């Protein structure tokens, strides 16, 4: 959540950022919405690829390595959830990142037994 909110701050020069949390049955849905620069619709999945950023120009304002969202998605998936983004790509309309997690913790891989 820290990475997603930090990205919203980083890419919203003016406007607002809001969070919404709702329970949907056995799931919780967290939405982080900003009024920043947005993400072109054809780049929505690209932002979840390692070392990839939408703006690769030499004049880009935002720094970073392109690892935050891929790591965040993997962590959410490890808890049995999903992470995705919706955006029109229009500057000022921003993006909304969604995190859906089960209310009850689930292991997606069996924990390794350690002997002492």
């Amino acid at each position: 959540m820290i990475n997603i909110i930090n990205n919203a701050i980083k890419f919203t020069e003016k406007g607002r950022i809001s969070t919404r949390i709702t329970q949907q049955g056995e799931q919780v849905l967290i939405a982080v919405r900003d009024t920043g620069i947005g993400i072109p619709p054809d780049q929505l999945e690209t932002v979840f690829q390692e070392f990839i950023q939408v703006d690769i120009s030499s004049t880009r304002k935002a720094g970073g390595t392109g690892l935050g969202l891929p790591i965040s998605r993997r962590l959410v998936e490890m808890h049995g959830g999903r992470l995705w983004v919706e955006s029109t790509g229009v500057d000022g309309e921003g993006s909304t990142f969604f995190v859906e997690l089960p209310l009850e913790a689930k292991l997606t891989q069996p924990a390794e037994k350690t002997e002492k």
Side-chain angles (χ1 to χ4, degrees):
M1 290 310 305
I2 291 170
N3 182 64
I4 294 168
I5 292 171
N6 279 341
N7 279 352
I9 293 167
K10 184 179 0 177
F11 293 104
T12 305
E13 210 167 284
K14 60 182 180 180
R16 65 186 180 101
I17 297 159
S18 62
T19 58
R20 183 184 66 225
I21 302 169
T22 56
Q23 183 177 344
Q24 299 178 330
E26 297 298 314
Q27 305 277 330
V28 63
L29 180 65
I30 305 163
V32 177
R33 183 175 191 275
D34 65 63
T35 58
I37 61 174
I39 302 168
D42 64 337
Q43 299 286 314
L44 294 176
E45 276 304 307
T46 304
V47 299
F48 294 104
Q49 295 175 13
E50 295 174 358
F51 304 110
I52 302 293
Q53 297 175 330
V54 172
D55 182 1
I56 58 170
S57 68
S58 60
T59 59
R60 72 187 180 114
K61 294 178 182 178
T65 60
L67 286 174
L69 289 174
I71 291 171
S72 296
R73 179 178 262 183
R74 181 66 183 127
L75 286 171
V76 168
E77 289 172 348
M78 288 172 66
H79 290 295
R82 296 188 313 140
L83 167 60
W84 73 96
V85 61
E86 295 176 2
S87 180
T88 62
V90 175
D91 191 359
E93 289 185 12
S95 304
T96 304
F97 281 81
F98 295 93
V99 178
E100 185 179 63
L101 290 166
L103 287 174
E104 189 172 312
K106 296 179 184 178
L107 292 176
T108 58
Q109 296 177 358
E112 292 183 28
K113 194 174 190 179
T114 58
E115 294 188 30
K116 294 182 181 185

